[in-house]
Amino acid sequence: MPLAELILSTGLRREPIALSCLGCETPLVPDQGLAWCEECGIGRSVRAFDAAFYDEMYAQRYESYAGTVIGDELNLARWALLHLHCQPIQRLLDYGCGVGTFLAYCEKAVPSLTGIDVNPVALRFARSRCHRSTLIQTSVDGLMDWARTWDWTVVTYWDTFEHLADPLTEAVWSAQWIALSLPIYRDQAHCRASKHCKPTEHLGHYTARGLTQVVDRQGFDLVVHDAREQVQGREDIETFLFRRREA
């Protein structure tokens, strides 16, 4: 089914964008900056991705989390998930790697590590702590190309999946596993009331069933779904691990 005929002008770029549900491709009608599919439990922002949003101040904020107790606990919880389910991990892509804390955590255990991000300041921080990882600054189109370049054992989207307007066209065509952490909503009302509903930053909004449906359409089965990061006080953040379905 083609994308919606509905065309919306956005404040971040002049050309229009078409919106449809990422789960069922039904045309979506926006309301106060957010278009929501009740059937699938998926929302989309009417904004377009803008790399300029991810500036020096944005990078500095995430660098301030590096080395904190909560930051270290998050990396440990994320690595524990992959270590338990995805071994042997030969090649890992951290999609939107930011300041590189997760990559640095993995460097003793994974032979080949790649991090990609649109933020040059964040990558400068990443290069200061990652000694064995390949770090790439690229546009969002370049992110698509890099995700398709290699046969990845694991592609991780730690706090990044929701930032992409159409994440599965930009991901993991050859990955064996996909790991994600992101805000998960009960319904549209919960989404709109949440502190995580940031239409200029988060372009995708998901219930658990909506996210699972989207990833399932690309040939992946859900293996793990839990709230491990909420132990660190991360309200409404949930973790998912998907494995490519055998043919």
Side-chain angles (χ1 to χ4, degrees):
M1 182 183 299
L3 288 176
E5 294 295 328
L6 178 63
I7 302 297
L8 303 167
S9 296
T10 77
L12 294 181
R13 64 180 186 183
R14 291 184 178 179
E15 68 268 24
I17 59 172
L19 287 182
S20 65
C21 175
L22 295 175
C24 65
E25 298 186 5
T26 297
L28 298 178
V29 178
D31 179 19
Q32 298 181 345
L34 179 68
W36 188 272
C37 177
E38 294 289 351
E39 180 178 352
C40 296
I42 297 171
R44 299 189 69 183
S45 171
V46 301
R47 298 276 185 171
F49 183 89
D50 181 18
F53 181 85
Y54 302 95
D55 57 10
E56 181 173 0
M57 184 177 299
Y58 193 94
Q60 290 280 2
R61 176 158 60 95
Y62 279 90
E63 178 64 13
S64 72
Y65 304 151
T68 64
V69 172
I70 291 177
D72 290 344
E73 288 177 349
L74 285 175
N75 285 324
L76 175 60
R78 292 167 174 178
W79 171 248
L81 175 72
L82 305 186
H83 180 71
L84 179 61
H85 294 281
C86 306
Q87 296 290 357
I89 303 174
Q90 297 297 326
R91 189 184 297 273
L92 183 147
L93 172 67
D94 193 7
Y95 196 103
C97 65
V99 299
T101 55
F102 182 70
L103 287 172
Y105 196 91
C106 295
E107 284 196 329
K108 292 182 180 180
V110 179
S112 178
L113 292 160
T114 299
I116 52 178
D117 207 284
V118 298
N119 191 324
V121 180
L123 287 173
R124 285 203 297 270
F125 288 125
R127 290 187 180 100
S128 72
R129 63 173 47 91
C130 297
H131 307 294
R132 217 174 40 76
S133 301
T134 300
L135 298 170
I136 306 294
Q137 180 196 347
T138 184
S139 66
V140 73
D141 290 335
L143 293 178
M144 295 168 61
D145 294 338
W146 265 96
R148 298 171 180 173
T149 300
W150 304 99
D151 291 330
W152 307 104
T153 310
V154 184
V155 174
T156 59
Y157 289 88
W158 306 129
D159 302 317
T160 56
F161 197 83
E162 67 273 23
H163 292 251
L164 301 169
D166 196 4
L168 289 178
T169 66
E170 300 160 3
V172 298
W173 299 110
S174 61
Q176 299 173 35
W177 299 87
I178 308 173
L180 311 92
S181 63
L182 71 167
I184 292 294
Y185 308 108
R186 295 185 298 276
D187 50 31
Q188 180 179 180
H190 180 207
C191 175
R192 289 184 180 276
S194 172
K195 68 180 183 180
H196 298 296
C197 187
K198 307 171 185 177
T200 59
E201 181 179 357
H202 293 175
L203 306 184
H205 313 268
Y206 303 90
T207 62
R209 65 182 173 86
L211 176 70
T212 301
Q213 179 179 346
V214 168
V215 183
D216 177 84
R217 290 184 68 195
Q218 298 298 322
F220 290 83
D221 292 325
L222 179 64
V223 176
V224 176
H225 171 206
D226 62 35
R228 67 184 61 206
E229 297 195 8
Q230 294 181 25
V231 174
Q232 283 77 40
R234 304 198 73 208
E235 178 183 337
D236 294 331
I237 301 299
E238 299 183 16
T239 299
F240 296 79
L241 181 68
F242 295 89
R243 184 175 186 174
R244 179 172 294 282
R245 191 176 304 125
E246 295 184 2

